[in-house]
Amino acid sequence: MTDPDPEALRAAAARGDSDAVDQLIELAAERGDAAELRQWAAGGSPDAADLLVELATEREDHDELRRLALGGDTTAAEVLAELESD
């Protein structure tokens, strides 16, 4: 199986292909690309937001978790509270 072509996926996503969007989000998560996950999350993707929280948690990135929590992400708020209580 060949790796997906990110440019082809971006073009498909721009045309509204939700499968391409899902693949791009997954690829960003695999690369640990918080900036791209932020963009997808800001665009309304709950999957990207969840993966961004997961990535920030793995990295113990309190600033990112705080930013997400202030934006209304309850999972990020819970994780941040847990990390700061340790």
Side-chain angles (χ1 to χ4, degrees):
M1 190 159 110
T2 61
D3 289 334
D5 175 13
E7 293 310 313
L9 287 173
R10 288 186 203 295
R15 292 189 303 272
D17 184 332
S18 62
D19 289 334
V21 170
D22 292 343
Q23 287 182 17
L24 286 167
I25 290 169
E26 193 61 40
L27 289 171
E30 288 172 8
R31 287 191 317 272
D33 189 338
E36 186 169 352
L37 289 173
R38 269 187 226 106
Q39 289 175 342
W40 288 113
S45 170
D47 291 338
D50 290 345
L51 289 168
L52 187 54
V53 169
E54 186 177 311
L55 181 63
T57 302
E58 289 171 3
R59 294 178 175 176
E60 295 188 18
D61 185 343
H62 293 221
D63 291 337
E64 183 69 22
L65 289 167
R66 191 170 294 106
R67 187 190 69 75
L68 292 165
L70 290 172
D73 190 307
T74 56
T75 303
E78 291 168 3
V79 169
L80 183 61
E82 186 176 311
L83 287 174
E84 290 183 342
S85 71
D86 288 343

